[in-house]
Amino acid sequence: MEIEKKFLLRRLPEELDRYPVRHMEQGYLCTDPVIRIRKSNDRYILTYKSRMGLEGQNDQGVRVNQEVEVPLNQSGYEHLREKTDGNLIRKDRYIIPLPDGHTGELDIFHGVLEGLVFIEVEFADSRDAKDFVPPEWFGDNVSDDHRYSNSYLSTCKDLSVFSIGKC
């Protein structure tokens, strides 16, 4: 089970380069349910993710998904990459320990999504998520905005979805 919140940023954290980074690409074979392939540095992963719901509203929004990951080898990944729909997402993910003990995964996108940045925080349970107080450098909670899901972003040709409402 994956319980998470996703936030925009007011600003990037200071000294971003001191945090571990994963250079990632991911593509989607299906978006409902989500079947995704991902390359993270030298790891290759196939993920099945089904949405279980969204709890709360506005800044209390919490996304809950059932998620199963299985390892792939490089040749399996490359074979499946040719079969993905939409755009291959490219991003750098910074792993940032937060003062309250949680970990933020800050994504900086490249390619057609250049300029998009957000951070996700995963939680042990729904109560943990609801009690979370984001650091001051976090911006709006966009957990309930489908435009920020990576599967949706893989269908976008550019960032116009954030200014006119559709890809």
Side-chain angles (χ1 to χ4, degrees):
M1 180 109 46
E2 177 187 62
I3 300 170
E4 66 183 19
K5 285 187 176 184
K6 191 175 293 191
F7 299 87
L8 299 179
L9 299 179
R10 287 188 169 88
R11 62 176 170 75
L12 289 173
E14 294 181 19
E15 300 178 12
L16 187 60
D17 60 347
R18 72 181 170 141
Y19 299 109
V21 63
R22 297 179 190 148
H23 305 289
M24 303 174 81
E25 67 178 27
Q26 62 191 46
Y28 292 82
L29 300 164
C30 183
T31 58
D32 189 19
V34 169
I35 301 175
R36 172 187 75 204
I37 58 166
R38 175 183 281 169
K39 176 184 176 193
S40 178
N41 291 341
D42 60 353
R43 290 184 59 224
Y44 303 92
I45 305 159
L46 173 71
T47 302
Y48 169 85
K49 185 186 286 194
S50 63
R51 184 173 177 178
M52 296 182 69
L54 187 69
E55 297 180 9
Q57 296 178 8
N58 301 327
D59 66 342
Q60 295 299 311
V62 178
R63 184 168 301 281
V64 180
N65 296 305
Q66 181 69 37
E67 183 174 285
V68 178
E69 292 186 344
V70 293
L72 287 173
N73 60 29
Q74 182 177 357
S75 63
Y77 173 84
E78 290 172 357
H79 176 77
L80 291 171
R81 185 176 61 190
E82 300 303 316
K83 299 175 181 335
T84 59
D85 297 330
N87 299 310
L88 197 62
I89 292 177
R90 291 182 171 85
K91 61 187 177 181
D92 292 328
R93 172 169 285 173
Y94 293 85
I95 309 303
I96 303 174
L98 302 176
D100 68 354
H102 290 97
T103 299
E105 296 180 340
L106 189 148
D107 289 346
I108 298 177
F109 290 80
H110 303 290
V112 298
L113 300 174
E114 188 76 38
L116 181 61
V117 178
F118 57 71
I119 191 164
E120 293 181 0
V121 181
E122 290 191 15
F123 302 95
D125 55 43
S126 294
R127 170 73 20 216
D128 184 28
K130 289 176 184 174
D131 292 344
F132 178 70
V133 177
E136 54 85 22
W137 52 275
F138 280 36
D140 293 337
N141 180 342
V142 293
S143 301
D144 58 353
D145 187 335
H146 77 280
R147 297 176 301 169
Y148 292 94
S149 75
N150 283 282
S151 58
Y152 180 77
L153 290 169
S154 73
T155 69
C156 296
K157 303 283 186 233
D158 55 37
L159 295 179
S160 63
V161 62
F162 299 104
S163 59
I164 62 171
K166 59 174 92 168
C167 289

